[in-house]
Amino acid sequence: MSTATEIRLASRPEGVPTHDNFEIADTEVPTPGAGQILVRNLIMSVDPAMRGRMKDVKSYAPPFQVGEVMSGGAVGEVVESHIDGVGPGDHVLHQAGWRTHAVLDAGRYVKVDGSAAPLSTYLGVLGMPGLTAYAGLLESAEFKPGDTVFVSGAAGAVGSLVGQLAKLKGAKRVIGSAGSAEKVRHLIDDLGFDAAFNYKDGPVAEQLHKAAPEGIDVYFDNVGGEHLEAAIDAITLHGRIAVCGMISTYNDTEPTPAPRNLAQVIAKRLTIRGLLVIDHWHLQQQFVTEVAPLVSSGEIKYSETFVDGIRNAPEAFLGLLSGANTGKMLVRIAD
């Protein structure tokens, strides 16, 4: 192939992103130089955190620049190499997604083995989302056997693994929230959650109380907003909250009201801790060693939602923000 395709940020969204915020550009396949490799991307990830990078604000990751190609996790096949130890046919994991081809310097990728696990899993259950779930539950939320755990966004790539890990590690009860009846069924029947509810069916606080009448000890937050307020109300003395994401607020154009019950943080002596996976790379080998065999044996289940074609990457991202995925949302780049 002599033509490459990339997705650029055309404009910064106001509120909910639209297709107009993206530009699809065809260009020449880049040529690697000394100390570089050329990769043909096969699968790429879209993640909620990318919405924050579409804003021109200082954060833990630099914002995408208008007119420039976006970036994110991807797995690809090496086409040409000028680096010892990696050659054509090898598969690598890297952060130069949102394009069909990428030139990478040494140290900007890691080799992955497609015979050990499907390549897609290195972007999901065995990748960043998986480590986020593992570290967030065990370190950020300080999970203990016997805890009752509530997970919001529980049918997503992170939340689904949080719930399963909690069950495997001795949780007394695991409750999840999701956005459809089918996702609720999936959480209970397929993933082994003790209870789950559709947050669209009524007030979250009421549904959470019915699912956990004795309260919760741990809340893993992927949603924020009403869910966080309900969790603070339901959580027990010395409860722990790991805040991984607040997807319900990402498209807000006005400041988001804080939970109205924050005073309970004092009375209940709660721990609320923000979670970024970059702080937990020291657990990566432990995570893979422990979780990969559980995935292989089927003790941990995972779901993937695929959108085909690099030109449909914006559609996949918009679908992610609206809850169109079960498990990890991925784009198959190659035909």
Side-chain angles (χ1 to χ4, degrees), residues 137 143 149 161-172 174:
L137 180 68
F143 171 83
V149 178
L161 184 55
V162 171
Q164 292 182 85
L165 285 172
K167 288 292 293 183
L168 288 170
K169 291 183 173 295
K172 179 182 178 180
V174 175

Side-chain angles (χ1 to χ4, degrees), residues 90-160:
D90 286 340
H91 293 110
V92 295
L93 171 69
H94 58 87
Q95 288 296 312
W98 292 89
R99 69 202 83 190
T100 56
H101 296 76
V103 169
L104 303 172
D105 295 326
R108 306 298 294 181
Y109 61 86
V110 293
K111 291 174 67 173
V112 294
D113 184 357
S115 65
L119 293 176
S120 59
T121 62
Y122 294 104
L123 295 167
V125 66
L126 296 180
M128 182 186 69
L131 179 59
T132 300
Y134 184 87
L137 180 68
L138 300 184
E139 284 202 337
S140 299
E142 300 178 1
F143 171 83
K144 302 188 297 291
D147 281 342
T148 293
V149 178
F150 172 45
V151 188
S152 60
V158 174
S160 59

Side-chain angles (χ1 to χ4, degrees), residues 214-236:
E214 297 179 359
I216 61 174
D217 304 297
V218 166
Y219 173 47
F220 195 104
D221 189 14
N222 292 304
V223 174
E226 183 186 2
H227 278 78
L228 179 55
E229 185 172 293
I232 291 173
D233 192 57
I235 206 162
T236 56

